[in-house]
Amino acid sequence: MIAEILTIGDELLRGSRVDTNSAFLARKLDEIGIDVRYKSTAADDMDCLEEALGLALRRADIIITTGGLGPTDDDITKKAICKVFKRNLIFHENVLADLEKRFAARGMKMPSINQNQALLPQGASFLANRTGSALGIVIDEHGKFFCSMPGVPAEMETMTVEELIPHLRDRTGDRIVLRHLVRTIGVPESVLAEKFRTGLKLSDGVSLAYLPAFGKVDLAIKGTGTVREEIQTGVDQAAATIRNLVGDAVFTEDDRELEAVVGSMLVERQLTLATAESCTAGLLAGRISRVPGSSRYFLGGVVAYANEVKMNVLQVPREMLDSVGAVSAETAEAMARGVRKLTGASIGISVTGVAGPDGGTADKPVGTVFVGLATEQAVTSKKYLMGGDREIVRERTVLVALDAVRRALMD
Amino acid sequence: MIAEILTIGDELLRGSRVDTNSAFLARKLDEIGIDVRYKSTAADDMDCLEEALGLALRRADIIITTGGLGPTDDDITKKAICKVFKRNLIFHENVLADLEKRFAARGMKMPSINQNQALLPQGASFLANRTGSALGIVIDEHGKFFCSMPGVPAEMETMTVEELIPHLRDRTGDRIVLRHLVRTIGVPESVLAEKFRTGLKLSDGVSLAYLPAFGKVDLAIKGTGTVREEIQTGVDQAAATIRNLVGDAVFTEDDRELEAVVGSMLVERQLTLATAESCTAGLLAGRISRVPGSSRYFLGGVVAYANEVKMNVLQVPREMLDSVGAVSAETAEAMARGVRKLTGASIGISVTGVAGPDGGTADKPVGTVFVGLATEQAVTSKKYLMGGDREIVRERTVLVALDAVRRALMD
């Protein structure tokens, strides 16, 4: 079963949009053992699209496209499908009725341009779109499975998980694929690779992929074969060895993000958290609160971008700011202590640093960050030097701050 | 001049990495008038790579690849180039000497595996890599321009700007491409399309593309031809008509983000800003502070996730929270007023809402958001109903809050 993902849209070829759809789709297909061998992109242009669809249908068994299903004139994916599969676009009354109902439910009259969304290829089947107006289109014949989905990521993602994957799961045959994810933080990929080079032997059919992103490295163990127990044993052995070699840099062995892991730990221990941020200016709080239900343990915090806010709201002493500066261990600790007191949280976590591009000095170059942590027992801080530009420094800082909370909760 | 971008790497086909390289490259090529007609991805596998390179060389004049140039065994792009172009890999003494010098400059001994980086195809020319060890490889013959670059985004981007683009600029010939971007917020794509269908006539050679993202729609006007003044006139006319039809939903006509536009307006008016966030919990502050130099006008704010923080830090009255609730016009206004007073900012902007997935009621379903705005003159608020899941609601809310500040500053 060879799959091709074809993303459609001028904006992708002009580079005005980064394609995140194909990575999402590839991941979901890989999870059910479907090999994505080809990825390609076509313009909103009939010749290009016909050529790309033709090539995909020749070389792949499963062809998934995203994009070009909108109601405006520049969206021509449906017309191209009709040309390549030699069908007509016909008007689907029931689809139109559904759409009108959905607009009515929001108290709106459907713009007439959306009538186009009910024009669909004859003899296709359709995938529901819970969040938008373009249906998915499936043509499944002569041993080829073809599916066209909208390009809006949120719509495509929901449709993939709820509609497409269940459709495809039956096609993957006898081949069993088992996976196990070990997520680590704070150890560089090269250091992990060195540890594993001598310490890790993988059984037949088991492979390990490194997926680094900022300060995190996901270790993706994959076992493939036909005998489930054999594969499971191989995968389990690899996971156990990795766990031994990497220790507490492992933050989870499922697909949860670090903020969700920290959240669970806080819930278990019945503790609350508050944030005091300077250079990340809300991104840490924003990350913590990504987790649904985080209001059980996250109280909030202070974005202390200006020194006046550090002084007046977090009670950082002016003399401290004047003597050691806002980017210092002392200020980080005072901020953590201050926000803990202000909010009554069990734990205060703080961040102050130089995100750049300006503001660096010889002593405190761009990327210098202090993370402070205040608990009932103690107030501590740690200094980091982050590489990268402004946004990367801020992203990395969010991660090390979250990890500081995790490590404090482990003790 | 038709170009193809070929990205190389198993991680792209497995979806464990989102490809940002091809969008960057496409943008840079588009800027100098080179049409990227094809984008494709190949695995780190000799057969796949040969097939993909062969196809690209048949259908495009300019072929740019990224990835697979590293020193480890799984990187085979150089070998594939040698096969397709029928050349040998030969050892380049001067390249090795350069590499050794660079490691020595950092006080390091070069790991022996990096010797592979000096093995390069015979008769190619090379592009310098300021930030990494893999050179770019250029083969320019028989009317085809082929260039292979490393896959690490930072390396590829620097190499593109400093080496590749100057190389290619001479090849674009007489064709002139002019662009103009009109960025809008708050008007759906279908409504814009409806307005333009009757009100906008484009001159020959001028095209308009819609690039929607959340509540924003970018309108990309492009004019192509050989007489600069004619194209410029056509593009200017289109921009003027759009401006008339869309009005103050246009937030900029350059490539700045909304937060940068708001930032410039604050600087011009010598005003400062502070945030009070409940459901976005720091994301608004994080977005405002993305702009380098935002400390000139952004003081900080409060993440008031828990009601206690709303009461104790922002002085929202308990009776208000008990009677109308945290998600209400009254609370939004009290939060904006509170943070303005707390920080001394000229403008306080606040957000409170139900991001979901839980917490919705019949009265205030998931997606209900109130944005409050406090200035010296007045305190106001506005209610929104956002579609989408938790993260989308939060993202959209950040945008409408920023836009509320923009509109207040316009008055």
Side-chain angles (χ1 to χ4, degrees):
Chain A
M1 280 300 191
I2 290 173
E4 171 153 359
I5 298 172
L6 173 64
T7 54
I8 299 168
D10 288 347
E11 70 278 17
L12 300 170
L13 289 168
R14 268 197 312 262
S16 48
R17 172 135 324 149
V18 169
D19 161 35
T20 56
N21 284 348
S22 66
F24 179 87
L25 265 170
R27 222 157 42 229
K28 290 296 162 193
L29 293 172
D30 186 58
E31 278 173 17
I32 58 170
I34 292 175
D35 242 350
V36 177
R37 186 83 54 89
Y38 303 100
K39 263 172 63 177
S40 50
T41 303
D44 297 311
D45 167 280
M46 190 52 77
D47 290 341
C48 285
L49 251 179
E50 265 192 86
E51 183 188 335
L53 286 171
L55 180 63
L57 283 164
R58 280 196 298 283
R59 66 187 180 182
D61 310 305
I62 297 173
I63 300 94
I64 318 277
T65 79
T66 69
L69 294 183
T72 50
D73 288 345
D74 55 343
D75 286 321
I76 57 168
T77 300
K78 288 191 291 192
K79 285 186 197 140
I81 294 173
C82 287
K83 259 187 128 168
V84 170
F85 286 95
K86 302 192 173 44
R87 286 156 195 258
N88 293 317
L89 274 185
I90 63 168
F91 195 75
H92 288 67
E93 294 281 357
N94 55 334
V95 173
L96 182 67
D98 268 3
L99 266 179
E100 281 173 340
K101 234 183 276 170
R102 284 167 56 178
F103 273 90
R106 288 191 287 160
M108 293 164 73
K109 198 176 142 33
M110 190 185 82
S112 60
I113 199 170
N114 275 310
Q115 291 184 359
N116 290 344
Q117 303 290 48
L119 272 176
L120 291 161
Q122 197 162 21
S125 57
F126 305 114
L127 304 182
N129 185 343
R130 265 209 298 128
T131 46
S133 60
L135 296 185
I137 298 166
V138 171
I139 298 177
D140 187 1
E141 57 180 30
H142 312 311
K144 302 274 180 182
F145 178 91
F146 174 88
C147 174
S148 197
M149 294 197 286
V152 178
E155 299 180 22
M156 189 281 302
E157 291 174 10
T158 308
M159 192 178 284
T160 298
V161 172
E162 296 181 357
E163 305 275 331
L164 175 65
I165 294 297
H167 242 82
L168 286 174
R169 209 183 295 253
D170 305 334
R171 305 186 155 245
T172 52
D174 294 338
R175 193 169 158 232
I176 298 168
V177 181
L178 297 179
R179 283 156 204 292
H180 187 84
L181 190 66
V182 181
R183 310 195 74 180
T184 72
I185 183 162
V187 184
E189 183 183 6
S190 57
V191 174
L192 291 171
E194 195 66 35
K195 278 183 203 283
F196 299 159
R197 201 172 53 83
T198 49
L200 178 67
K201 281 233 165 0
L202 298 170
S203 332
D204 279 355
V206 177
S207 67
L208 174 69
Y210 298 80
L211 312 173
F214 292 110
K216 289 186 294 193
V217 181
D218 285 354
L219 301 165
I221 307 166
K222 176 177 173 180
T224 316
T226 49
V227 184
R228 181 172 290 270
E229 293 95 75
E230 275 177 20
I231 316 170
Q232 189 69 62
T233 306
V235 169
D236 289 349
Q237 280 172 350
T241 308
I242 289 173
R243 212 175 291 134
N244 271 331
L245 290 170
V246 182
D248 62 6
V250 174
F251 69 85
T252 191
E253 295 190 42
D254 49 35
D255 60 1
R256 287 181 303 161
E257 295 297 336
L258 183 57
E259 57 269 23
V261 171
V262 169
S264 305
M265 292 171 86
L266 288 164
V267 170
E268 272 167 31
R269 289 161 182 74
Q270 300 188 286
L271 297 173
T272 57
L273 181 66
T275 52
E277 303 179 66
S278 184
C279 64
T280 51
L283 295 181
L284 174 58
R287 183 70 60 88
I288 293 167
S289 57
R290 272 189 81 146
V291 183
S294 48
S295 56
R296 282 180 295 170
Y297 50 82
F298 181 53
L299 303 185
V302 175
V303 177
Y305 214 51
N307 277 350
E308 286 66 32
V309 177
K310 294 185 185 79
M311 292 188 291
N312 300 338
V313 186
L314 292 173
Q315 315 304 333
V316 178
R318 177 186 297 272
E319 310 77 62
M320 186 183 281
L321 293 170
D322 288 346
S323 58
V324 291
V327 179
S328 63
E330 289 84 346
T331 300
E333 292 177 17
M335 287 170 67
R337 194 186 294 117
V339 80
R340 184 172 176 269
K341 198 165 162 209
L342 180 73
T343 61
S346 329
I347 300 174
I349 177 86
S350 74
V351 163
T352 178
V354 189
D358 303 318
T361 62
D363 249 23
K364 295 168 187 170
V366 169
T368 305
V369 171
F370 290 86
V371 171
L373 190 89
T375 64
E376 206 186 333
Q377 289 79 37
V379 182
T380 56
S381 64
K382 204 170 156 186
K383 182 179 177 177
Y384 299 86
L385 185 58
M386 311 283 180
D389 66 14
R390 181 176 178 84
E391 274 315 283
I392 293 176
V393 167
R394 301 199 327 152
E395 279 297 320
R396 284 184 197 267
T397 301
V398 165
L399 283 181
V400 299
L402 274 171
D403 200 43
V405 178
R406 181 181 71 94
R407 287 173 186 273
L409 290 169
M410 282 170 61
D411 294 341
Chain B
M1 280 301 189
I2 291 174
E4 171 153 358
I5 297 171
L6 172 64
T7 55
I8 299 167
D10 288 346
E11 71 279 14
L12 300 169
L13 289 168
R14 266 197 315 262
S16 47
R17 173 140 317 154
V18 169
D19 160 35
T20 55
N21 283 349
S22 66
F24 179 88
L25 264 170
R27 221 157 43 231
K28 290 295 162 193
L29 293 173
D30 187 59
E31 278 172 17
I32 58 170
I34 293 175
D35 240 351
V36 177
R37 186 83 54 88
Y38 303 100
K39 260 173 64 176
S40 50
T41 303
D44 296 311
D45 167 280
M46 190 52 77
D47 290 342
C48 287
L49 252 178
E50 264 193 86
E51 184 188 335
L53 286 171
L55 181 62
L57 283 164
R58 280 196 300 282
R59 66 187 180 182
D61 310 305
I62 296 173
I63 300 97
I64 318 276
T65 78
T66 68
L69 294 182
T72 50
D73 287 345
D74 54 343
D75 286 321
I76 57 168
T77 300
K78 287 190 294 190
K79 284 187 197 140
I81 293 172
C82 286
K83 257 185 128 169
V84 170
F85 286 94
K86 300 192 176 47
R87 283 155 196 259
N88 293 316
L89 275 184
I90 62 167
F91 196 76
H92 288 66
E93 292 281 357
N94 54 334
V95 173
L96 181 68
D98 268 2
L99 267 178
E100 281 173 341
K101 233 185 273 168
R102 282 167 56 179
F103 274 91
R106 288 192 288 159
M108 293 164 73
K109 198 175 145 26
M110 190 185 84
S112 59
I113 199 171
N114 275 309
Q115 290 184 0
N116 290 344
Q117 304 290 48
L119 271 176
L120 291 161
Q122 197 162 22
S125 58
F126 305 112
L127 304 181
N129 185 342
R130 264 210 298 128
T131 47
S133 60
L135 296 185
I137 298 166
V138 171
I139 298 176
D140 188 358
E141 58 180 26
H142 310 312
K144 302 276 180 182
F145 179 89
F146 174 89
C147 173
S148 196
M149 293 197 287
V152 177
E155 297 180 22
M156 189 279 304
E157 291 174 10
T158 307
M159 192 179 284
T160 298
V161 173
E162 297 182 356
E163 306 275 331
L164 176 66
I165 294 298
H167 242 83
L168 286 175
R169 206 181 297 253
D170 305 333
R171 302 184 157 245
T172 52
D174 294 337
R175 192 170 158 234
I176 298 168
V177 181
L178 298 178
R179 286 156 202 293
H180 187 83
L181 190 67
V182 181
R183 311 196 72 179
T184 72
I185 183 162
V187 184
E189 182 184 5
S190 57
V191 174
L192 291 171
E194 196 68 36
K195 278 184 203 280
F196 298 159
R197 202 171 51 85
T198 50
L200 179 66
K201 281 234 164 1
L202 297 170
S203 331
D204 280 354
V206 176
S207 68
L208 175 68
Y210 298 80
L211 311 174
F214 292 107
K216 290 184 295 192
V217 181
D218 285 353
L219 302 166
I221 307 166
K222 177 177 172 178
T224 315
T226 48
V227 185
R228 180 172 290 271
E229 292 95 74
E230 276 177 22
I231 316 170
Q232 189 69 60
T233 306
V235 169
D236 289 349
Q237 279 171 352
T241 308
I242 290 174
R243 213 175 292 133
N244 272 331
L245 291 170
V246 183
D248 63 6
V250 174
F251 67 85
T252 191
E253 295 190 44
D254 50 35
D255 61 0
R256 285 180 306 161
E257 294 299 334
L258 183 56
E259 58 269 20
V261 172
V262 169
S264 305
M265 293 171 87
L266 288 164
V267 170
E268 271 167 30
R269 290 161 181 72
Q270 298 188 288
L271 297 173
T272 57
L273 181 65
T275 52
E277 302 178 66
S278 185
C279 66
T280 50
L283 295 182
L284 174 58
R287 183 70 61 88
I288 294 167
S289 57
R290 272 188 80 145
V291 182
S294 47
S295 56
R296 280 179 297 171
Y297 50 83
F298 181 53
L299 302 184
V302 175
V303 177
Y305 215 51
N307 277 352
E308 285 67 33
V309 177
K310 294 185 185 79
M311 292 187 291
N312 300 336
V313 186
L314 292 173
Q315 315 304 333
V316 179
R318 178 187 296 273
E319 311 77 62
M320 185 183 282
L321 294 170
D322 287 345
S323 59
V324 292
V327 179
S328 63
E330 291 84 345
T331 300
E333 292 176 17
M335 287 170 66
R337 194 185 296 118
V339 80
R340 182 171 178 270
K341 197 165 162 211
L342 180 72
T343 60
S346 329
I347 300 174
I349 178 84
S350 74
V351 163
T352 178
V354 189
D358 304 318
T361 64
D363 249 24
K364 295 168 186 168
V366 169
T368 305
V369 171
F370 291 86
V371 171
L373 190 89
T375 64
E376 204 183 334
Q377 289 78 36
V379 181
T380 56
S381 63
K382 202 169 160 190
K383 183 180 175 175
Y384 299 86
L385 185 58
M386 311 283 180
D389 67 12
R390 182 178 178 84
E391 274 314 284
I392 294 177
V393 168
R394 303 199 325 152
E395 279 297 320
R396 285 184 197 268
T397 302
V398 165
L399 284 181
V400 299
L402 274 172
D403 199 42
V405 177
R406 180 181 72 93
R407 287 174 186 273
L409 290 169
M410 282 169 60
D411 293 340

